[in-house]
Amino acid sequence: MISSISGSASQIASSIFSKLDTSNKGYIEQADLQSALSKINGNDDSSNTDELFSSLDSDSDGKLTESELSSGISNLLSELNSQFNNSRVQGGMPPPPPPQGEEEDEGYTQDELESIASSTDDSQLSSLMSTIAANFEAADTNQDGKVSAKEAMEYQRQNEGNQAKPSEDNSINRQIGQLIAAYGSSDSTSNTSALSLAA
């Protein structure tokens, strides 16, 4: 999978690079990148471009080579692939089932959760019970020494929310994505339609 990502990144970078290096210098300057992004976004905010250029210019020489651009795109594609795989694998584990009938949900002690986790064949349930047992004090919000289904669901919801927070590089990744959409195609007609949609 990684080799296909780096191959795709290389092709995309080559296409973007050839469209932005209009003087055939063999590198892209920050002004070239600024011009391309302003065409996409319709604004001349150089602060975002400064951050993007600095993150891509790995040797800090003020010249963005095709190799550096390819590396940045490869990192973005790898991160997106990883996020996709994580969301696909996690798939939002279901909480323990609610109590049946008129029984009241008394909850489970930490030892009972560990016992359930080790005795079940359901890997998702086992993982959930292990996680709640390992974080028992945080999950036991009413401090009664037991975690109810409601507390388990709330703990899981909060934990999933923490995992879904965007990274600090979100702005950079968004800009790289915009460059890919606008300039990543080697077909000039695709480039025009992508550019007009993004603007």
Coordinates of all heavy atoms in Angstrom, one line a residue, residues 98-178:
P98 N -28.3 -2.6 26.6 CA -29.1 -2.1 27.8 C -29.7 -3.2 28.6 O -29.9 -4.3 28.0 CB -30.2 -1.2 27.1 CG -30.3 -1.7 25.7 CD -28.9 -2.3 25.4
P99 N -30.1 -3.0 29.8 CA -30.7 -4.1 30.6 C -32.0 -4.5 30.0 O -32.7 -3.7 29.4 CB -30.9 -3.4 31.9 CG -30.8 -2.0 31.7 CD -30.0 -1.7 30.5
Q100 N -32.3 -5.8 30.1 CA -33.5 -6.4 29.6 C -34.7 -6.2 30.6 O -34.5 -6.2 31.8 CB -33.3 -7.9 29.3 CG -32.3 -8.1 28.3 CD -32.6 -7.6 26.9 OE1 -33.8 -7.7 26.5 NE2 -31.6 -7.1 26.2
G101 N -35.8 -6.0 30.1 CA -37.0 -5.9 30.9 C -37.0 -4.8 31.9 O -36.5 -3.7 31.6
E102 N -37.5 -5.1 33.1 CA -37.6 -4.0 34.1 C -36.4 -4.0 35.1 O -36.4 -3.3 36.1 CB -38.9 -4.2 34.9 CG -40.1 -4.2 34.0 CD -41.3 -3.5 34.6 OE1 -41.1 -3.0 35.7 OE2 -42.3 -3.4 33.9
E103 N -35.4 -4.8 34.8 CA -34.2 -4.9 35.7 C -33.5 -3.5 35.6 O -33.5 -2.9 34.6 CB -33.2 -5.9 35.2 CG -33.7 -7.3 35.2 CD -32.7 -8.3 34.6 OE1 -31.5 -7.9 34.6 OE2 -33.1 -9.3 34.1
E104 N -33.0 -3.1 36.8 CA -32.3 -1.8 36.8 C -30.8 -2.1 36.5 O -30.2 -3.1 36.9 CB -32.4 -1.2 38.2 CG -31.8 0.2 38.1 CD -32.2 1.0 39.4 OE1 -33.3 0.9 39.8 OE2 -31.3 1.7 39.9
D105 N -30.2 -1.3 35.7 CA -28.7 -1.4 35.4 C -27.9 -1.1 36.6 O -27.7 0.1 36.9 CB -28.4 -0.5 34.2 CG -26.9 -0.6 33.8 OD1 -26.3 -1.6 34.2 OD2 -26.5 0.3 33.0
E106 N -27.4 -2.1 37.3 CA -26.6 -1.8 38.4 C -25.1 -1.6 38.1 O -24.4 -1.0 38.9 CB -26.7 -3.0 39.4 CG -28.1 -3.2 40.0 CD -28.2 -4.4 40.9 OE1 -27.1 -4.9 41.3 OE2 -29.3 -4.8 41.2
G107 N -24.7 -1.9 36.9 CA -23.4 -1.7 36.4 C -22.5 -2.9 36.8 O -22.9 -3.9 37.4
Y108 N -21.2 -2.7 36.5 CA -20.2 -3.8 36.7 C -19.0 -3.2 37.5 O -18.6 -2.0 37.2 CB -19.7 -4.3 35.4 CG -20.7 -5.1 34.6 CD1 -21.3 -4.5 33.5 CD2 -21.1 -6.4 35.0 CE1 -22.3 -5.2 32.8 CE2 -22.1 -7.0 34.3 CZ -22.7 -6.4 33.2 OH -23.7 -7.1 32.5
T109 N -18.4 -4.0 38.3 CA -17.2 -3.6 39.0 C -16.0 -3.7 38.1 O -16.2 -4.3 37.0 CB -16.9 -4.4 40.3 OG1 -16.7 -5.8 39.8 CG2 -18.1 -4.4 41.3
Q110 N -14.9 -3.2 38.5 CA -13.7 -3.3 37.6 C -13.3 -4.7 37.4 O -13.0 -5.1 36.2 CB -12.5 -2.5 38.2 CG -11.3 -2.4 37.3 CD -10.3 -1.5 37.9 OE1 -10.3 -1.1 39.0 NE2 -9.3 -1.1 37.0
D111 N -13.4 -5.6 38.4 CA -13.1 -7.0 38.2 C -14.1 -7.7 37.3 O -13.7 -8.5 36.5 CB -13.1 -7.7 39.6 CG -11.9 -7.3 40.5 OD1 -10.9 -6.8 39.9 OD2 -12.1 -7.4 41.7
E112 N -15.4 -7.3 37.4 CA -16.4 -7.9 36.5 C -16.1 -7.5 35.1 O -16.2 -8.4 34.2 CB -17.8 -7.5 37.0 CG -18.2 -8.1 38.3 CD -19.5 -7.5 38.8 OE1 -19.8 -6.4 38.5 OE2 -20.2 -8.3 39.5
L113 N -15.7 -6.3 34.8 CA -15.4 -5.8 33.5 C -14.2 -6.6 32.9 O -14.3 -7.0 31.7 CB -15.2 -4.3 33.4 CG -16.4 -3.4 33.7 CD1 -15.9 -2.0 33.9 CD2 -17.4 -3.5 32.5
E114 N -13.2 -6.8 33.7 CA -12.0 -7.5 33.3 C -12.4 -9.0 33.0 O -11.9 -9.5 32.0 CB -10.9 -7.4 34.3 CG -10.3 -6.0 34.4 CD -9.4 -5.8 35.6 OE1 -9.4 -6.7 36.5 OE2 -8.7 -4.8 35.7
S115 N -13.2 -9.5 33.8 CA -13.7 -10.9 33.6 C -14.5 -11.1 32.3 O -14.2 -12.0 31.5 CB -14.6 -11.4 34.8 OG -15.1 -12.7 34.5
I116 N -15.3 -10.1 32.0 CA -16.1 -10.2 30.8 C -15.2 -10.0 29.6 O -15.3 -10.7 28.6 CB -17.2 -9.0 30.7 CG1 -18.3 -9.3 31.8 CG2 -17.8 -8.9 29.3 CD1 -19.2 -8.1 32.0
A117 N -14.2 -9.1 29.7 CA -13.3 -8.8 28.6 C -12.4 -10.1 28.3 O -12.2 -10.4 27.1 CB -12.3 -7.7 28.9
S118 N -12.1 -10.8 29.3 CA -11.2 -12.0 29.0 C -12.0 -13.3 28.7 O -11.5 -14.2 28.1 CB -10.4 -12.3 30.3 OG -11.2 -12.7 31.4
S119 N -13.3 -13.3 28.9 CA -14.1 -14.5 28.6 C -14.9 -14.4 27.4 O -15.4 -15.5 26.9 CB -15.0 -14.8 29.8 OG -16.0 -13.8 30.0
T120 N -15.1 -13.3 26.8 CA -15.9 -13.2 25.6 C -15.2 -13.5 24.3 O -14.0 -13.2 24.2 CB -16.6 -11.8 25.5 OG1 -17.5 -11.8 24.4 CG2 -15.6 -10.7 25.3
D121 N -15.9 -14.0 23.3 CA -15.3 -14.2 22.0 C -15.5 -13.0 21.1 O -14.9 -13.0 20.0 CB -15.9 -15.5 21.3 CG -15.5 -16.7 22.0 OD1 -14.5 -16.8 22.7 OD2 -16.3 -17.7 21.9
D122 N -16.3 -12.1 21.5 CA -16.5 -10.9 20.7 C -15.4 -9.9 20.9 O -15.2 -9.3 22.0 CB -17.9 -10.2 21.1 CG -18.3 -9.0 20.4 OD1 -17.4 -8.4 19.7 OD2 -19.5 -8.6 20.4
S123 N -14.5 -9.7 19.9 CA -13.3 -8.9 20.1 C -13.7 -7.4 20.4 O -13.0 -6.7 21.1 CB -12.4 -8.9 18.8 OG -13.1 -8.5 17.7
Q124 N -14.8 -6.9 19.8 CA -15.2 -5.5 20.0 C -15.6 -5.3 21.5 O -15.2 -4.4 22.1 CB -16.2 -5.0 19.1 CG -15.7 -4.8 17.7 CD -16.8 -4.3 16.7 OE1 -18.0 -4.5 17.0 NE2 -16.4 -3.6 15.7
L125 N -16.4 -6.3 22.0 CA -16.9 -6.2 23.3 C -15.7 -6.3 24.3 O -15.6 -5.6 25.3 CB -17.9 -7.3 23.6 CG -18.5 -7.3 25.0 CD1 -19.2 -6.0 25.4 CD2 -19.4 -8.5 25.2
S126 N -14.8 -7.3 24.0 CA -13.6 -7.5 24.8 C -12.8 -6.2 24.9 O -12.3 -5.8 26.0 CB -12.8 -8.6 24.3 OG -11.6 -8.8 25.0
S127 N -12.6 -5.5 23.7 CA -11.8 -4.3 23.7 C -12.5 -3.2 24.5 O -11.8 -2.5 25.3 CB -11.6 -3.9 22.2 OG -10.9 -2.7 22.2
L128 N -13.8 -3.1 24.3 CA -14.5 -2.0 25.1 C -14.4 -2.3 26.6 O -14.1 -1.4 27.3 CB -16.0 -2.0 24.6 CG -16.9 -1.0 25.4 CD1 -16.4 0.4 25.2 CD2 -18.3 -1.2 24.9
M129 N -14.7 -3.5 27.0 CA -14.6 -3.8 28.4 C -13.2 -3.6 29.0 O -13.1 -3.1 30.1 CB -15.1 -5.3 28.7 CG -16.6 -5.5 28.4 SD -17.6 -4.5 29.4 CE -19.2 -4.5 28.5
S130 N -12.2 -4.0 28.3 CA -10.8 -3.8 28.7 C -10.5 -2.3 28.8 O -9.9 -1.9 29.8 CB -9.8 -4.4 27.7 OG -10.0 -5.8 27.7
T131 N -11.0 -1.5 27.9 CA -10.7 -0.1 27.9 C -11.4 0.5 29.1 O -10.8 1.4 29.8 CB -11.2 0.6 26.6 OG1 -10.5 0.0 25.5 CG2 -11.0 2.1 26.6
I132 N -12.7 0.2 29.3 CA -13.4 0.7 30.5 C -12.8 0.3 31.8 O -12.6 1.1 32.7 CB -14.9 0.4 30.4 CG1 -15.5 1.1 29.2 CG2 -15.6 0.8 31.7 CD1 -16.9 0.8 28.9
A133 N -12.4 -1.0 31.9 CA -11.7 -1.5 33.1 C -10.4 -0.7 33.4 O -10.1 -0.4 34.5 CB -11.5 -3.0 33.0
A134 N -9.6 -0.5 32.3 CA -8.4 0.2 32.5 C -8.5 1.7 32.8 O -7.6 2.3 33.4 CB -7.6 0.1 31.2
N135 N -9.7 2.2 32.5 CA -10.0 3.6 32.8 C -11.2 3.7 33.7 O -12.0 4.6 33.6 CB -10.2 4.4 31.5 CG -9.0 4.4 30.6 OD1 -8.0 5.0 30.8 ND2 -9.1 3.6 29.5
F136 N -11.2 2.8 34.7 CA -12.4 2.6 35.5 C -12.8 3.9 36.3 O -14.0 4.3 36.2 CB -12.2 1.5 36.5 CG -13.4 1.1 37.3 CD1 -14.4 0.2 36.7 CD2 -13.7 1.6 38.5 CE1 -15.5 -0.1 37.3 CE2 -14.9 1.2 39.2 CZ -15.8 0.4 38.6
E137 N -11.9 4.6 36.9 CA -12.2 5.8 37.6 C -12.8 6.9 36.8 O -13.7 7.6 37.2 CB -11.0 6.3 38.4 CG -10.6 5.4 39.5 CD -9.3 5.9 40.2 OE1 -9.0 7.1 40.1 OE2 -8.7 5.1 41.0
A138 N -12.3 7.0 35.5 CA -12.8 8.0 34.6 C -14.2 7.7 34.1 O -15.1 8.5 34.0 CB -11.9 8.2 33.4
A139 N -14.5 6.4 33.9 CA -15.8 5.9 33.4 C -16.8 5.9 34.5 O -18.0 6.1 34.3 CB -15.6 4.5 32.8
D140 N -16.4 5.7 35.8 CA -17.4 5.6 36.9 C -17.7 7.0 37.4 O -17.2 7.5 38.4 CB -16.8 4.8 38.0 CG -17.7 4.6 39.2 OD1 -19.0 4.8 39.0 OD2 -17.3 4.2 40.3
T141 N -18.5 7.7 36.6 CA -18.7 9.2 36.9 C -19.5 9.4 38.2 O -19.3 10.5 38.8 CB -19.5 9.8 35.7 OG1 -20.7 9.1 35.5 CG2 -18.6 9.8 34.5
N142 N -20.3 8.5 38.7 CA -21.0 8.7 39.9 C -20.3 8.2 41.1 O -20.8 8.2 42.2 CB -22.5 8.2 39.8 CG -22.5 6.7 39.7 OD1 -21.5 6.0 39.7 ND2 -23.7 6.2 39.6
Q143 N -19.1 7.6 40.9 CA -18.2 7.1 42.0 C -18.9 6.1 42.9 O -18.6 6.0 44.1 CB -17.7 8.3 42.8 CG -17.0 9.4 42.0 CD -15.7 9.0 41.3 OE1 -14.9 8.4 42.0 NE2 -15.6 9.2 40.1
D144 N -19.7 5.2 42.3 CA -20.4 4.2 43.1 C -19.6 2.9 43.1 O -20.1 1.9 43.6 CB -21.8 4.0 42.7 CG -22.0 3.4 41.3 OD1 -21.0 3.3 40.6 OD2 -23.1 3.1 40.9
G145 N -18.5 2.8 42.4 CA -17.7 1.6 42.4 C -18.2 0.6 41.3 O -17.7 -0.5 41.2
K146 N -19.1 1.1 40.4 CA -19.6 0.3 39.3 C -19.8 1.2 38.1 O -20.1 2.4 38.2 CB -20.9 -0.4 39.6 CG -20.8 -1.5 40.7 CD -22.1 -2.2 40.9 CE -21.9 -3.3 41.9 NZ -23.2 -4.1 42.0
V147 N -19.6 0.6 36.9 CA -19.8 1.4 35.7 C -21.1 0.8 35.0 O -21.2 -0.4 34.7 CB -18.6 1.3 34.7 CG1 -19.0 1.9 33.4 CG2 -17.4 1.9 35.3
S148 N -22.1 1.7 34.9 CA -23.4 1.3 34.3 C -23.2 1.4 32.8 O -22.3 1.9 32.2 CB -24.5 2.2 34.8 OG -24.3 3.5 34.3
A149 N -24.2 0.8 32.1 CA -24.2 0.9 30.6 C -24.2 2.4 30.2 O -23.5 2.8 29.2 CB -25.5 0.2 30.0
K150 N -25.0 3.2 30.9 CA -25.1 4.6 30.6 C -23.7 5.3 30.7 O -23.2 6.1 29.9 CB -26.1 5.3 31.4 CG -26.3 6.8 31.1 CD -27.3 7.4 32.0 CE -27.5 8.9 31.7 NZ -28.5 9.6 32.6
E151 N -23.0 5.0 31.8 CA -21.7 5.5 32.1 C -20.7 5.0 31.0 O -19.8 5.8 30.5 CB -21.1 5.2 33.5 CG -21.8 5.9 34.6 CD -21.4 5.4 35.9 OE1 -21.4 4.1 36.1 OE2 -21.2 6.2 36.8
A152 N -20.8 3.8 30.6 CA -19.9 3.2 29.6 C -20.1 3.9 28.3 O -19.2 4.2 27.6 CB -20.1 1.7 29.5
M153 N -21.4 4.1 27.9 CA -21.7 4.8 26.6 C -21.1 6.2 26.6 O -20.6 6.7 25.7 CB -23.2 4.8 26.3 CG -23.7 3.4 26.0 SD -25.4 3.4 25.4 CE -26.3 3.9 26.9
E154 N -21.3 6.9 27.8 CA -20.8 8.3 27.9 C -19.3 8.3 27.8 O -18.7 9.2 27.1 CB -21.3 8.9 29.2 CG -20.8 10.4 29.3 CD -21.3 11.3 28.3 OE1 -22.3 11.0 27.6 OE2 -20.7 12.4 28.1
Y155 N -18.6 7.4 28.5 CA -17.2 7.3 28.4 C -16.7 7.1 27.0 O -15.8 7.7 26.5 CB -16.6 6.2 29.4 CG -15.1 6.1 29.3 CD1 -14.3 7.0 29.9 CD2 -14.6 5.1 28.4 CE1 -12.9 6.9 29.8 CE2 -13.2 5.1 28.3 CZ -12.4 5.9 29.0 OH -11.0 5.9 28.9
Q156 N -17.3 6.1 26.3 CA -17.0 5.8 24.9 C -17.2 7.0 24.0 O -16.4 7.3 23.2 CB -17.8 4.6 24.4 CG -17.4 4.2 23.0 CD -18.2 3.1 22.5 OE1 -19.3 2.8 23.0 NE2 -17.7 2.5 21.4
R157 N -18.3 7.7 24.2 CA -18.6 8.9 23.4 C -17.5 10.0 23.6 O -17.0 10.5 22.6 CB -20.0 9.4 23.7 CG -20.4 10.6 22.8 CD -21.7 11.3 23.3 NE -21.5 11.9 24.6 CZ -20.9 13.1 24.8 NH1 -20.4 13.7 23.8 NH2 -20.8 13.6 26.0
Q158 N -17.2 10.2 24.8 CA -16.1 11.2 25.1 C -14.8 10.8 24.5 O -14.1 11.6 24.0 CB -16.0 11.5 26.6 CG -17.2 12.2 27.1 CD -17.1 12.4 28.7 OE1 -16.3 11.8 29.3 NE2 -18.0 13.2 29.2
N159 N -14.5 9.5 24.7 CA -13.2 9.0 24.2 C -13.1 9.1 22.7 O -12.1 9.4 22.1 CB -13.0 7.6 24.6 CG -11.6 7.1 24.5 OD1 -10.6 7.9 24.7 ND2 -11.4 5.8 24.1
E160 N -14.2 8.8 22.0 CA -14.2 8.9 20.5 C -14.1 10.3 20.1 O -13.4 10.6 19.1 CB -15.5 8.3 19.9 CG -15.5 6.8 19.9 CD -16.8 6.2 19.5 OE1 -17.8 7.0 19.3 OE2 -16.9 5.0 19.3
G161 N -14.7 11.3 20.8 CA -14.6 12.7 20.5 C -13.1 13.2 20.6 O -12.7 14.0 19.8
N162 N -12.4 12.6 21.6 CA -11.0 13.0 21.7 C -10.2 12.5 20.6 O -9.2 13.2 20.2 CB -10.4 12.5 23.1 CG -11.0 13.2 24.3 OD1 -11.5 14.3 24.2 ND2 -10.9 12.5 25.4
Q163 N -10.5 11.4 20.0 CA -9.7 10.8 18.9 C -10.0 11.5 17.6 O -9.2 11.5 16.7 CB -10.0 9.3 18.8 CG -9.5 8.5 19.9 CD -10.0 7.1 19.8 OE1 -10.8 6.7 18.9 NE2 -9.5 6.2 20.7
A164 N -11.2 12.2 17.5 CA -11.6 12.8 16.3 C -11.1 14.2 16.1 O -11.4 14.9 15.1 CB -13.1 12.7 16.2
K165 N -10.4 14.8 17.1 CA -9.9 16.2 17.0 C -8.9 16.3 15.9 O -8.0 15.5 15.7 CB -9.3 16.6 18.3 CG -10.3 16.8 19.4 CD -9.7 17.2 20.7 CE -10.7 17.3 21.8 NZ -10.1 17.6 23.1
P166 N -9.0 17.4 15.1 CA -8.1 17.6 14.0 C -6.7 17.8 14.5 O -6.5 18.4 15.5 CB -8.7 18.8 13.2 CG -9.6 19.5 14.2 CD -10.0 18.4 15.2
S167 N -5.8 17.5 13.6 CA -4.4 17.7 14.0 C -4.0 19.1 13.7 O -4.7 19.9 13.1 CB -3.5 16.8 13.2 OG -3.5 17.2 11.8
E168 N -2.8 19.5 14.3 CA -2.3 20.9 14.1 C -2.1 21.2 12.6 O -2.1 22.3 12.2 CB -1.1 21.1 14.9 CG -1.2 21.0 16.4 CD 0.1 21.1 17.1 OE1 1.1 21.3 16.5 OE2 0.0 21.0 18.4
D169 N -1.8 20.1 11.8 CA -1.4 20.3 10.4 C -2.6 20.3 9.5 O -2.5 20.3 8.3 CB -0.5 19.1 10.0 CG 0.8 19.1 10.8 OD1 1.2 20.2 11.2 OD2 1.4 18.0 10.9
N170 N -3.8 20.5 10.1 CA -5.0 20.4 9.3 C -5.0 21.5 8.2 O -5.4 21.2 7.1 CB -6.3 20.6 10.2 CG -7.5 20.3 9.5 OD1 -7.6 19.4 8.6 ND2 -8.6 20.9 9.9
S171 N -4.6 22.7 8.5 CA -4.5 23.8 7.5 C -3.6 23.5 6.4 O -3.9 23.7 5.2 CB -4.1 25.1 8.2 OG -4.0 26.1 7.2
I172 N -2.4 22.9 6.7 CA -1.4 22.6 5.7 C -2.0 21.4 4.8 O -1.9 21.5 3.6 CB -0.1 22.1 6.4 CG1 0.5 23.3 7.0 CG2 0.8 21.5 5.4 CD1 1.7 23.0 7.9
N173 N -2.6 20.4 5.4 CA -3.2 19.3 4.7 C -4.3 19.8 3.8 O -4.4 19.3 2.6 CB -3.7 18.2 5.6 CG -2.5 17.5 6.3 OD1 -1.4 17.6 5.9 ND2 -2.9 16.8 7.4
R174 N -5.1 20.7 4.2 CA -6.2 21.3 3.4 C -5.6 22.0 2.2 O -6.1 21.8 1.1 CB -7.0 22.3 4.2 CG -8.2 22.9 3.5 CD -9.0 23.9 4.3 NE -8.2 24.8 5.0 CZ -7.6 25.9 4.5 NH1 -7.8 26.1 3.2 NH2 -6.9 26.8 5.2
Q175 N -4.5 22.8 2.4 CA -3.9 23.5 1.3 C -3.3 22.5 0.3 O -3.4 22.7 -0.9 CB -2.9 24.5 1.8 CG -3.5 25.7 2.5 CD -2.4 26.6 3.1 OE1 -1.5 26.2 3.7 NE2 -2.6 27.9 2.8
I176 N -2.6 21.5 0.8 CA -2.1 20.5 -0.1 C -3.2 19.8 -0.9 O -3.1 19.6 -2.1 CB -1.2 19.5 0.6 CG1 0.0 20.1 1.2 CG2 -0.8 18.3 -0.3 CD1 0.8 19.2 2.1
G177 N -4.3 19.5 -0.3 CA -5.4 19.0 -0.9 C -6.0 19.9 -2.0 O -6.4 19.4 -3.1
Q178 N -6.0 21.2 -1.7 CA -6.5 22.1 -2.7 C -5.5 22.2 -3.9 O -6.0 22.3 -5.1 CB -6.6 23.5 -2.1 CG -7.7 23.7 -1.1 CD -7.7 25.0 -0.4 OE1 -6.6 25.6 -0.2 NE2 -8.9 25.5 0.0

